[in-house]
Amino acid sequence: MISRRLLRVKVLQLLYAYYKNQDRTIAKAEKELFFSIGKAYDLYHYLLLLIVELAFVSEKRIEAAKAKIIPTQEDLNPNTKFIDNKVIRQLAENIQLKSYAESNTITWTDQEDYIRLLFDKLVKSDLYINYMNEEESSHQDDKKFVEKFFQTLVAADEDFYSLIEEKSIYWNDEVEFVISMVIKTIKGFKENDDKYHSIMSLFKDDEDEDYVKTLFRKTILNHTEHMEMIQTNTKNWDLDRIAFMDILIMELALTELKEFPNVPVKVSFNEYLEIAKYYSTSNSSNFINGILDKLVKELKENGKVKKVGRGLVGEV
């Protein structure tokens, strides 16, 4: 579930904390790293349950309207298309989602004010109005509605981001990543999927879990070697004046280039340049680009970059 991009970001954040914390041990920092990754998985489930909670609110309002002393024809004959949405029902009945939510106490029941606010925004939106006015809909139509709900409503909702910031310090930098994973999950639902349909696991596979451990530990263990390489290739710069985050990003890039033969050089290079745009200074990406280019050439000349696997053998 957790993308390689987010895993890189998590390692970067915990490396920063590791070096800034005087009472540091690799084991303690690694434990915090995996806890942080687990919190991203909590957010994934939290978001999937959001649309389910809104459907529940809608159903309660319909029941309340029917129970009026003098209900209108609209009250008695409500449009139930939203609460009957096939994908929302699949989420509501999904065993894996329910089990994880119950085991980890993930719920929206303590956020009634926000849920009410978001529901009001939803029913006033063109997305909802157009969807409800369509006389019929297929599973594909229902899926598109849920996808757009996350893409256009949740992703742009400032109140949502404020809520997330209050709920967990671990969620501030990963909401957009997790929303993309939620949308990918929704896209994966098929009409005949039952309640046992699998949603995303924490790691895509054992390789991703090993990737995180190796990237984190090897970056710390090779810190001295990497600092010497960076210093050699930044002779015109005072190392103390280079942004600490820039140094960490370059160290991570060096580790990935050397330790992961199945990851293309270009992928590692571009990933860390993108991360630099968000997590360091405005000029960092261009600076890191220049220094990494020199470092990659040095590693290749010294035979420290060896790529294997389909399509990678001739890369270096």
Side-chain angles (χ1 to χ4, degrees), residues 100-194:
Y100 188 92
E102 290 171 3
S103 299
N104 294 276
T105 321
I106 297 172
T107 176
W108 285 93
T109 54
D110 61 337
Q111 298 297 332
E112 291 183 3
D113 290 342
Y114 174 72
I115 290 297
R116 189 160 47 246
L117 177 66
L118 182 61
F119 183 76
D120 290 340
K121 290 179 182 179
L122 173 63
V123 297
K124 293 174 183 177
S125 69
D126 290 339
L127 170 65
Y128 183 88
I129 293 169
N130 293 335
Y131 173 73
M132 297 297 281
N133 286 336
E134 293 173 0
E135 292 186 6
E136 295 182 7
S137 65
S138 63
H139 184 271
Q140 187 65 23
D141 293 330
D142 287 351
K143 182 158 55 174
K144 284 292 182 184
F145 170 79
V146 178
E147 288 174 26
K148 288 181 180 179
F149 163 75
F150 285 105
Q151 287 172 338
T152 62
L153 201 63
V154 176
D157 185 22
E158 293 183 4
D159 293 312
F160 171 73
Y161 285 92
S162 296
L163 171 67
I164 290 303
E165 188 173 351
E166 291 176 6
K167 287 286 288 185
S168 174
I169 59 172
Y170 294 95
W171 289 350
N172 293 347
D173 296 324
E174 58 203 41
V175 177
E176 293 179 0
F177 289 113
V178 177
I179 288 177
S180 69
M181 293 299 102
V182 166
I183 293 171
K184 187 174 182 180
T185 298
I186 300 302
K187 288 179 182 292
F189 273 95
K190 303 293 188 297
E191 187 167 9
N192 59 348
D193 287 336
D194 60 17

Side-chain angles (χ1 to χ4, degrees), residues 245-256:
M245 189 64 81
D246 288 0
I247 293 174
L248 287 182
I249 290 171
M250 288 188 283
E251 285 196 69
L252 280 170
L254 286 169
T255 300
E256 186 164 314

Side-chain angles (χ1 to χ4, degrees), residues 9-28:
V9 169
K10 288 291 187 183
V11 173
L12 175 64
Q13 291 171 337
L14 265 295
L15 274 176
Y16 185 89
Y18 171 80
Y19 283 114
K20 292 297 183 181
N21 184 359
Q22 294 181 347
D23 181 27
R24 65 192 188 192
T25 65
I26 294 179
K28 183 178 179 181

Side-chain angles (χ1 to χ4, degrees), residues 24-132:
R24 65 192 188 192
T25 65
I26 294 179
K28 183 178 179 181
E30 188 177 85
K31 184 178 180 180
E32 178 71 10
L33 170 62
F34 279 90
F35 178 79
S36 177
I37 292 170
K39 294 301 289 184
Y41 198 46
D42 286 352
L43 178 58
Y44 168 71
H45 288 81
Y46 198 52
L47 279 167
L48 285 173
L49 289 170
L50 179 56
I51 190 74
V52 175
E53 186 67 23
L54 292 177
F56 177 73
V57 169
S58 180
E59 189 170 9
K60 286 295 183 183
R61 290 194 180 188
I62 287 173
E63 291 174 0
K66 286 182 178 179
K68 288 179 182 178
I69 297 175
I70 307 177
T72 65
Q73 282 299 311
E74 186 178 353
D75 292 333
L76 295 173
N77 298 282
N79 184 343
T80 61
K81 190 173 181 179
F82 177 55
I83 64 175
D84 291 335
N85 181 290
K86 302 174 187 67
V87 176
I88 296 176
R89 285 192 173 276
Q90 286 176 315
L91 286 171
E93 296 168 0
N94 187 272
I95 295 295
Q96 186 179 337
L97 178 58
K98 287 198 293 186
S99 176
Y100 188 92
E102 290 171 3
S103 299
N104 294 276
T105 321
I106 297 172
T107 176
W108 285 93
T109 54
D110 61 337
Q111 298 297 332
E112 291 183 3
D113 290 342
Y114 174 72
I115 290 297
R116 189 160 47 246
L117 177 66
L118 182 61
F119 183 76
D120 290 340
K121 290 179 182 179
L122 173 63
V123 297
K124 293 174 183 177
S125 69
D126 290 339
L127 170 65
Y128 183 88
I129 293 169
N130 293 335
Y131 173 73
M132 297 297 281

